[in-house]
Amino acid sequence: MAISSGTQFDTLGPTLTVTTQPAEPAGGDPVTATAVLSNDCPFPLRNAVLHLINPGATTAAKTIPLGDLPRGAKTTRRWETAIPSDVAGSLSFTAHLVFDVDEHSSDCARSAKTFTVPYRPNGVRDPYGTFATTDDARFGQYGSQLVIWAGGRDLSGGTDEKAGILRPGSAAEASVVQVETVSLTGSDNPTAKYGIAVANDLTAPEKGGYAVLTMSKSYGLEFMTDSDGDGHLDTWAGGGASTHPALLRLVRSGTAYTAYSSTNNGLSWNEIASATVPSASGALDAGVVASAVNLNYPGTTVQAVFDHFTVEES
């Protein structure tokens, strides 16, 4: 609960709680959410409006005018819904109360019931395809999110073991490839990584144009390219601290690639490095990739979650 600037209070504000039945719903489950509001303030709340918001929604499922709430007033509101079958991850049912006090508006209280719906491999849909150089790769798509489960010994130099989701031929001569790297779980390996990949043919990097921009679990960013067109990543730039989530951006201008990252939702971008990949030709495949980098962690796999993958001409 938070009260904004305006009248100064020496007491707690209203109490607002949210519960759900079932307590830990899964994808597709019908749910009853309950918001309970108590005006514990020593003054009435004027023109109170309660907004009830479903997981993943940007607008309220219900907006309920409550009018004036005297001291000690208590009210309960319920809403029936279902968890969409194509959402997963950390989700919340939220109640948001807006009210006036002594002619000052925009004072508010907020509460959320947060729970986790596990990701499960459910494949991907057009325009996406998949590829892998590991036998344990699996894939999922949840709304704007893409998910990869992958092992793999490494993703650089002479070893290139990964799994990926791609959009064939989507990166034009002048283009911007971007994704949010949301989370990387399933392994304690600090060098596990996930991010963007481009190539003339991502299923056959030896055909040229190959580059990746990844965030590692703990060792920061890695921008790697294939400088001689043999399908092996042999240049490197990056480092620093790892941030999850983060935005990664790879800008292509012909054979020139420039890598960027942002940790503030794209309000500002940090340039990592630029590199020339002479073998880049025509429209490239663009996608997202993940590798457990498990050479020293045998048998481990990672779950890599991406959001808002885009490829646009620039």
Side-chain angles (χ1 to χ4, degrees):
M1 192 283 295
I3 294 180
S4 67
S5 60
T7 303
Q8 298 298 309
F9 305 119
D10 296 324
T11 184
L12 293 175
T15 300
L16 182 60
T17 61
V18 177
T19 58
T20 62
Q21 182 59 42
E24 296 294 330
D29 282 354
V31 179
T32 299
T34 303
V36 178
L37 168 66
S38 298
N39 181 14
D40 299 324
C41 304
F43 43 78
L45 307 180
R46 306 294 186 189
N47 303 315
V49 179
L50 185 63
H51 302 272
L52 306 177
I53 306 167
N54 287 338
T58 56
T59 58
K62 286 188 177 181
T63 297
I64 304 172
L66 300 176
D68 296 341
L69 297 176
R71 294 174 55 183
K74 184 174 182 177
T75 185
T76 299
R77 293 292 188 273
R78 293 182 175 85
W79 70 108
E80 307 285 339
T81 187
I83 305 297
S85 59
D86 65 343
V87 301
S90 180
L91 306 174
S92 298
F93 283 93
T94 304
H96 182 198
L97 177 72
V98 180
F99 57 90
D100 300 339
V101 176
D102 295 337
E103 300 181 357
H104 293 274
S105 61
S106 298
D107 295 285
C108 63
R110 181 183 291 266
S111 179
K113 166 64 187 299
T114 300
F115 54 97
T116 300
V117 174
Y119 295 96
R120 302 187 188 282
N122 62 357
V124 299
R125 302 178 292 277
D126 287 340
Y128 296 110
T130 64
F131 63 99
T133 53
T134 63
D135 295 331
D136 50 10
R138 297 174 294 164
F139 307 94
Q141 183 175 353
Y142 289 84
S144 64
Q145 293 188 321
L146 301 171
V147 189
I148 298 172
W149 291 263
R153 291 179 300 165
D154 207 344
L155 181 52
S156 63
T159 303
D160 189 354
E161 296 186 354
K162 62 186 181 295
I165 299 172
L166 79 160
R167 286 178 52 187
S170 58
E173 292 275 350
S175 56
V176 178
V177 183
Q178 183 172 305
V179 77
E180 180 182 11
T181 48
V182 177
S183 63
L184 187 65
T185 57
S187 173
D188 295 328
N189 181 7
T191 59
K193 59 195 69 173
Y194 63 146
I196 292 169
V198 297
N200 294 343
D201 182 347
L202 276 173
T203 68
E206 66 275 9
K207 294 182 179 180
Y210 188 30
V212 300
L213 170 61
T214 63
M215 178 70 74
S216 67
K217 185 175 177 67
S218 303
Y219 291 159
L221 293 156
E222 294 187 80
F223 175 43
M224 296 176 283
T225 70
D226 172 13
S227 65
D228 57 11
D230 66 355
H232 299 297
L233 298 167
D234 53 20
T235 74
W236 186 94
S242 291
T243 303
H244 312 275
L247 290 175
L248 305 185
R249 175 183 286 178
L250 188 59
V251 178
R252 179 197 180 194
S253 178
T255 60
Y257 298 168
T258 305
Y260 301 86
S261 68
S262 174
T263 58
N264 59 6
N265 295 316
L267 295 177
S268 61
W269 290 89
N270 299 313
E271 181 174 336
I272 302 163
S274 293
T276 299
V277 182
S279 56
S281 176
L284 306 182
D285 292 354
V288 292
V289 294
S291 176
V293 193
N294 62 14
L295 181 63
N296 297 316
Y297 296 77
T300 59
T301 61
V302 291
Q303 174 186 279
V305 180
F306 308 86
D307 204 356
H308 298 106
F309 174 69
T310 58
V311 186
E312 298 178 347
E313 291 194 33
S314 60

